[in-house]
């Protein structure tokens, strides 16, 4: 069965710092990968997704993620975080139309 | 705007008193999902519908049931809520065959069990 690992459970940064959140998945075949964000008190929103093509995917709000097949990774990056990026971030993989979520990373950004 | 709507946003019930949460969608998606999300945890899939075909996750308690009377609506019934069922319940939709399988989430219903 597919699984998703997010090793950073809680990340604390100052504004303007660079961000990289790790995501590893277990399946070796064709994968569709997602990053979702959940701002405090709000619903899950799609940040970006990868299903084919350019392994460097650009998302909303300046986020990007790189699919590295050899490392089974899909890390999320942002060069300069803002206070408004404080949220919970979930990596997910599709398995026959079911989303398998990682455990999430709580990001806190301080001004 | 096309969207996923959940009602109510907050639900308080008593231990053992049945409760129904509702979800509606204007996206005309044929797949609908119910997730349970406890504090600081990942959403956990309870079940999903492909059109009218119901798919239950193996570890979903019998206490949780669902109905989908038509494409637009889906209900989550908790027959006898326990304290451990207090959580955020998320509804999501997707269109079968849509490349990438993106799911669209509603705002959730926060259930409190007294």
């Amino acid at each position: 069965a597919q699984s998703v690992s997010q090793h950073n459970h809680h990340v604390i940064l100052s504004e303007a710092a660079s961000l990289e959140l790790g995501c590893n998945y277990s399946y070796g075949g064709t994968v569709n990968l997602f990053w979702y964000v959940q701002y405090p008190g709000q619903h899950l929103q799609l940040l970006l997704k990868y299903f084919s093509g350019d392994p460097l995917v650009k998302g909303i709000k300046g986020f990007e993620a790189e699919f590295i097949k050899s490392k089974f990774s899909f890390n999320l990056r942002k060069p300069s975080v803002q206070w408004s990026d404080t949220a919970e971030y979930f990596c997910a993989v599709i398995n026959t139309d079911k989303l398998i979520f990682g455990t999430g990373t709580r990001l806190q950004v301080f001004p | 705007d096309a969207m996923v709507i959940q009602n109510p946003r907050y639900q308080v019930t008593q231990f053992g008193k049945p409760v129904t949460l509702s979800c509606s969608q204007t996206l005309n998606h044929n797949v609908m999902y119910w997730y349970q999300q406890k504090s600081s945890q990942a959403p956990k899939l309870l079940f999903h519908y492909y059109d009218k075909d119901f798919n239950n996750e193996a570890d979903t308690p019998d206490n949780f049931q669902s109905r989908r009377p038509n494409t637009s609506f889906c209900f989550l019934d908790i027959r006898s809520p326990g304290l451990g069922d207090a959580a955020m319940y998320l509804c999501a939709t997707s269109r079968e065959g849509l490349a990438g399988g993106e799911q669209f989430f509603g705002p959730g219903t926060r259930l409190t069990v007294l």
Side-chain angles (χ1 to χ4, degrees), chain B residues 84-96:
Chain B
D85 297 327
M88 179 74 86
Y89 290 88
L90 303 173
C91 177
T93 72
S94 70
R95 192 164 78 228
E96 184 182 7

Side-chain angles (χ1 to χ4, degrees), chain A:
Chain A
Q2 291 189 9
S3 65
V4 178
S5 299
Q6 292 181 245
H7 303 294
N8 314 107
H9 298 295
H10 192 189
V11 174
I12 301 172
L13 294 173
S14 298
E15 275 193 319
S18 64
L19 171 72
E20 181 160 2
L21 301 182
C23 173
N24 290 92
Y25 61 93
S26 63
Y27 183 60
T30 303
V31 287
N32 294 344
L33 294 156
F34 304 81
W35 276 98
Y36 279 86
V37 61
Q38 192 170 30
Y39 297 104
Q42 296 190 28
H43 63 281
L44 277 164
Q45 302 172 46
L46 183 69
L47 262 183
L48 48 79
K49 64 182 179 182
Y50 170 83
F51 49 92
S52 65
D54 189 342
L56 184 60
V57 181
K58 304 279 188 191
I60 60 171
K61 304 187 181 187
F63 286 90
E64 65 179 31
E66 186 174 11
F67 170 59
I68 303 179
K69 190 174 182 179
S70 61
K71 294 185 178 180
F72 298 90
S73 71
F74 190 55
N75 291 357
L76 181 70
R77 300 194 293 247
K78 185 171 184 177
S80 176
V81 294
Q82 300 172 312
W83 175 79
S84 57
D85 293 324
T86 294
E88 189 97 20
Y89 292 81
F90 293 96
C91 184
V93 64
I94 279 280
N95 181 1
T96 58
D97 277 332
K98 294 192 292 186
L99 270 177
I100 309 298
F101 285 94
T103 51
T105 297
R106 181 178 297 275
L107 172 66
Q108 282 185 286
V109 180
F110 288 96

